[in-house]
């Protein structure tokens, strides 16, 4: 089985999209992460969900855990609105890493190894020109692995 066999189309975001929009795309799409694409639909970054969450938490709270305990419940529930005007690109800055991606012909083992090594529940599938062809989420990969049965000697 290859990446093309299990890849699906997923909603994406751009560097110019707001963080609030990115969170909504991820939540409404029930995605384990996000793929950030450029204008030509080439993946720029693949973000695990925890990294998307990190974009939403204002830096002051990330730097000082005690500060989070000082915020009352009503304000703690809407903390992410503090970054309402920030974009994905603003939060990522220029220190983006190469997006996690595979070719459509990649095997389940190649995909699993990349996901495990980078602790990412989402991988982009890109065609030969680097355009996004789909994505593979961890649950889809695990389902494919679990349903794949090795051929026995008597089956040949």
């Amino acid at each position: 089985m290859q990446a093309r066999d299990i890849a699906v189309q997923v909603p994406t975001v751009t560097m110019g999209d707001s963080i609030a929009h990115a969170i909504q795309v991820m939540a409404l799409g029930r995605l384990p992460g996000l793929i950030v694409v450029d204008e030509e639909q080439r993946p720029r970054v693949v973000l695990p969900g925890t990294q998307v969450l990190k974009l939403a938490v204002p830096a002051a709270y990330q730097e000082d855990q005690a500060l989070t305990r000082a915020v009352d419940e009503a304000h703690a529930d809407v903390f992410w609105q503090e970054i309402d005007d920030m974009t994905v690109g603003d939060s990522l800055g220029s220190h983006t890493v190469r997006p996690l991606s595979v070719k459509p012909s990649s095997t389940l083992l190649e995909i699993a190894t990349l996901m495990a090594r980078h602790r990412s529940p989402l991988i982009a599938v890109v065609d030969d020109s680097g355009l996004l062809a789909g994505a593979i989420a961890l649950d889809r990969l695990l389902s494919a692995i679990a349903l794949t049965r090795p051929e026995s000697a008597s089956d040949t």
Side-chain angles (χ1 to χ4, degrees):
M1 194 173 296
Q2 296 179 330
R4 71 172 54 87
D5 301 322
I6 61 172
V8 296
Q9 296 299 313
V10 296
T12 59
V13 296
T14 66
M15 294 291 237
D17 285 327
S18 71
I19 295 171
H21 175 72
I23 290 170
Q24 290 170 334
V25 167
M26 191 174 130
L28 295 175
R30 297 184 176 268
L31 300 170
L34 283 177
I35 298 176
V36 182
V37 296
D38 64 15
E39 301 79 29
E40 287 84 34
Q41 294 301 303
R42 286 182 169 77
R44 295 272 318 269
V45 182
V46 176
L47 295 171
T50 53
Q51 289 303 109
V52 175
L53 182 60
K54 187 175 180 178
L55 297 178
V57 177
Y61 297 125
Q62 292 181 44
E63 294 166 7
D64 185 2
Q65 184 87 24
L67 184 58
T68 63
R69 291 188 289 278
V71 178
D72 64 55
E73 184 177 351
H75 290 95
D77 289 348
V78 293
F79 69 89
W80 64 279
Q81 292 178 357
E82 290 181 31
I83 45 90
D84 195 33
D85 58 343
M86 289 187 66
T87 67
V88 172
D90 292 338
S91 296
L92 290 176
S94 61
H95 302 294
T96 58
V97 296
R98 192 171 148 223
L100 293 179
S101 62
V102 296
K103 295 290 183 188
S105 60
S106 296
T107 65
L108 295 183
L109 178 58
E110 290 173 295
I111 300 162
T113 301
L114 188 61
M115 275 188 177
R117 186 178 334 124
H118 293 278
R119 298 180 180 175
S120 180
L122 187 67
I123 289 189
V125 179
V126 296
D127 64 18
D128 289 334
S129 62
L131 297 176
L132 185 65
I136 300 170
L138 178 61
D139 65 336
R140 192 145 172 97
L141 174 65
L142 291 175
S143 294
I145 291 170
L147 296 174
T148 301
R149 302 277 182 192
E151 293 182 29
S152 66
S154 63
D155 290 342
T156 57

